[in-house]
PDB file of all heavy atoms in Angstrom:
ATOM      1  N   THR A 205     -39.384  10.805  26.420  1.00  0.00           N
ATOM      2  CA  THR A 205     -39.738   9.377  26.450  1.00  0.00           C
ATOM      3  C   THR A 205     -39.632   8.871  27.886  1.00  0.00           C
ATOM      4  O   THR A 205     -40.631   8.768  28.578  1.00  0.00           O
ATOM      5  CB  THR A 205     -38.829   8.570  25.503  1.00  0.00           C
ATOM      6  OG1 THR A 205     -37.444   8.880  25.793  1.00  0.00           O
ATOM      7  CG2 THR A 205     -39.108   8.939  24.063  1.00  0.00           C
ATOM      8  N   GLY A 206     -38.429   8.583  28.334  1.00  0.00           N
ATOM      9  CA  GLY A 206     -38.255   8.181  29.720  1.00  0.00           C
ATOM     10  C   GLY A 206     -38.020   9.397  30.601  1.00  0.00           C
ATOM     11  O   GLY A 206     -37.788  10.500  30.125  1.00  0.00           O
ATOM     12  N   CYS A 207     -38.116   9.184  31.903  1.00  0.00           N
ATOM     13  CA  CYS A 207     -37.869  10.292  32.827  1.00  0.00           C
ATOM     14  C   CYS A 207     -37.387   9.714  34.149  1.00  0.00           C
ATOM     15  O   CYS A 207     -38.186   9.310  34.992  1.00  0.00           O
ATOM     16  CB  CYS A 207     -39.127  11.122  33.030  1.00  0.00           C
ATOM     17  SG  CYS A 207     -38.821  12.685  33.886  1.00  0.00           S
ATOM     18  N   THR A 208     -36.082   9.659  34.318  1.00  0.00           N
ATOM     19  CA  THR A 208     -35.512   9.110  35.534  1.00  0.00           C
ATOM     20  C   THR A 208     -35.476  10.173  36.624  1.00  0.00           C
ATOM     21  O   THR A 208     -35.728  11.352  36.381  1.00  0.00           O
ATOM     22  CB  THR A 208     -34.084   8.601  35.279  1.00  0.00           C
ATOM     23  OG1 THR A 208     -33.242   9.732  34.956  1.00  0.00           O
ATOM     24  CG2 THR A 208     -34.054   7.612  34.116  1.00  0.00           C
ATOM     25  N   ALA A 209     -35.147   9.743  37.818  1.00  0.00           N
ATOM     26  CA  ALA A 209     -35.050  10.686  38.935  1.00  0.00           C
ATOM     27  C   ALA A 209     -34.016  11.771  38.644  1.00  0.00           C
ATOM     28  O   ALA A 209     -34.165  12.919  39.063  1.00  0.00           O
ATOM     29  CB  ALA A 209     -34.696   9.936  40.214  1.00  0.00           C
ATOM     30  N   ALA A 210     -32.974  11.404  37.907  1.00  0.00           N
ATOM     31  CA  ALA A 210     -31.929  12.367  37.569  1.00  0.00           C
ATOM     32  C   ALA A 210     -32.427  13.448  36.610  1.00  0.00           C
ATOM     33  O   ALA A 210     -31.831  14.528  36.506  1.00  0.00           O
ATOM     34  CB  ALA A 210     -30.734  11.643  36.949  1.00  0.00           C
ATOM     35  N   ASP A 211     -33.524  13.154  35.893  1.00  0.00           N
ATOM     36  CA  ASP A 211     -34.084  14.122  34.952  1.00  0.00           C
ATOM     37  C   ASP A 211     -35.053  15.097  35.619  1.00  0.00           C
ATOM     38  O   ASP A 211     -35.368  16.146  35.063  1.00  0.00           O
ATOM     39  CB  ASP A 211     -34.835  13.400  33.826  1.00  0.00           C
ATOM     40  CG  ASP A 211     -33.919  12.521  32.991  1.00  0.00           C
ATOM     41  OD1 ASP A 211     -32.767  12.935  32.761  1.00  0.00           O
ATOM     42  OD2 ASP A 211     -34.356  11.430  32.584  1.00  0.00           O
ATOM     43  N   ARG A 212     -35.532  14.736  36.792  1.00  0.00           N
ATOM     44  CA  ARG A 212     -36.572  15.533  37.457  1.00  0.00           C
ATOM     45  C   ARG A 212     -35.944  16.655  38.281  1.00  0.00           C
ATOM     46  O   ARG A 212     -35.971  16.674  39.501  1.00  0.00           O
ATOM     47  CB  ARG A 212     -37.448  14.624  38.322  1.00  0.00           C
ATOM     48  CG  ARG A 212     -38.147  13.545  37.506  1.00  0.00           C
ATOM     49  CD  ARG A 212     -38.753  12.473  38.378  1.00  0.00           C
ATOM     50  NE  ARG A 212     -39.014  11.274  37.593  1.00  0.00           N
ATOM     51  CZ  ARG A 212     -39.311  10.089  38.114  1.00  0.00           C
ATOM     52  NH1 ARG A 212     -39.375   9.949  39.433  1.00  0.00           N
ATOM     53  NH2 ARG A 212     -39.532   9.054  37.326  1.00  0.00           N
ATOM     54  N   LEU A 213     -35.383  17.592  37.546  1.00  0.00           N
ATOM     55  CA  LEU A 213     -34.686  18.715  38.156  1.00  0.00           C
ATOM     56  C   LEU A 213     -35.418  20.017  37.855  1.00  0.00           C
ATOM     57  O   LEU A 213     -36.079  20.142  36.818  1.00  0.00           O
ATOM     58  CB  LEU A 213     -33.252  18.803  37.610  1.00  0.00           C
ATOM     59  CG  LEU A 213     -32.381  17.551  37.754  1.00  0.00           C
ATOM     60  CD1 LEU A 213     -31.059  17.765  37.021  1.00  0.00           C
ATOM     61  CD2 LEU A 213     -32.142  17.220  39.212  1.00  0.00           C
ATOM     62  N   VAL A 214     -35.263  20.970  38.745  1.00  0.00           N
ATOM     63  CA  VAL A 214     -35.873  22.282  38.541  1.00  0.00           C
ATOM     64  C   VAL A 214     -35.389  22.900  37.230  1.00  0.00           C
ATOM     65  O   VAL A 214     -36.146  23.568  36.522  1.00  0.00           O
ATOM     66  CB  VAL A 214     -35.538  23.206  39.727  1.00  0.00           C
ATOM     67  CG1 VAL A 214     -36.001  24.632  39.444  1.00  0.00           C
ATOM     68  CG2 VAL A 214     -36.202  22.693  41.001  1.00  0.00           C
ATOM     69  N   THR A 215     -34.147  22.651  36.888  1.00  0.00           N
ATOM     70  CA  THR A 215     -33.577  23.218  35.664  1.00  0.00           C
ATOM     71  C   THR A 215     -34.181  22.622  34.405  1.00  0.00           C
ATOM     72  O   THR A 215     -34.015  23.181  33.319  1.00  0.00           O
ATOM     73  CB  THR A 215     -32.054  23.014  35.636  1.00  0.00           C
ATOM     74  OG1 THR A 215     -31.750  21.624  35.867  1.00  0.00           O
ATOM     75  CG2 THR A 215     -31.381  23.852  36.719  1.00  0.00           C
ATOM     76  N   ASN A 216     -34.871  21.496  34.524  1.00  0.00           N
ATOM     77  CA  ASN A 216     -35.514  20.882  33.365  1.00  0.00           C
ATOM     78  C   ASN A 216     -36.986  21.270  33.241  1.00  0.00           C
ATOM     79  O   ASN A 216     -37.699  20.758  32.385  1.00  0.00           O
ATOM     80  CB  ASN A 216     -35.390  19.359  33.428  1.00  0.00           C
ATOM     81  CG  ASN A 216     -33.980  18.889  33.124  1.00  0.00           C
ATOM     82  OD1 ASN A 216     -33.254  19.545  32.377  1.00  0.00           O
ATOM     83  ND2 ASN A 216     -33.578  17.766  33.697  1.00  0.00           N
TER      84      ASN A 216
END
Side-chain angles (χ1 to χ4, degrees):
T205 52
C207 192
T208 66
D211 297 323
R212 300 167 199 167
L213 304 174
V214 172
T215 52
N216 287 331

